[in-house]
Amino acid sequence: MDTTFTVVLGIIAMLLPLFVGRLVWKRFDQYFGRNDQAYMDTLEYFLKKLGGTILVAFIILWIGMSLVFSGSPNY
């Protein structure tokens, strides 16, 4: 793979989890909030929201980096 192409894909693969993580953080309340403000203000809910966001972002990062470096030659 061309070096410039690898760098561009690497940058995209690193920035994509930030955008996806931000989207998951914002939409988490709609999917798992149960429309209960008292529940959504608990530490348990916050930790679930934080853990879910980190998990999704890490999986996207892992897949992106795997795709970027799968075609790189061994020097």
Side-chain angles (χ1 to χ4, degrees):
M1 217 188 291
D2 187 34
T3 306
T4 306
F5 189 60
T6 303
V7 170
V8 170
L9 284 180
I11 291 171
I12 291 171
M14 286 186 285
L15 292 178
L16 185 63
L18 294 174
F19 294 118
V20 171
R22 185 171 183 255
L23 184 66
V24 169
W25 183 266
K26 286 185 170 192
R27 302 279 170 107
F28 194 86
D29 296 338
Q30 293 175 356
Y31 301 135
F32 302 107
R34 302 184 207 165
N35 294 326
D36 183 9
Q37 192 62 35
Y39 172 69
M40 290 168 48
D41 288 338
T42 62
L43 179 63
E44 176 187 2
Y45 180 77
F46 176 74
L47 291 177
K48 285 181 183 179
K49 187 175 180 178
L50 183 65
T53 303
I54 290 172
L55 180 66
V56 168
F58 182 72
I59 289 172
I60 298 290
L61 179 66
W62 187 336
I63 291 170
M65 287 294 127
S66 297
L67 292 174
V68 168
F69 293 112
S70 65
S72 62
N74 296 329
Y75 291 113

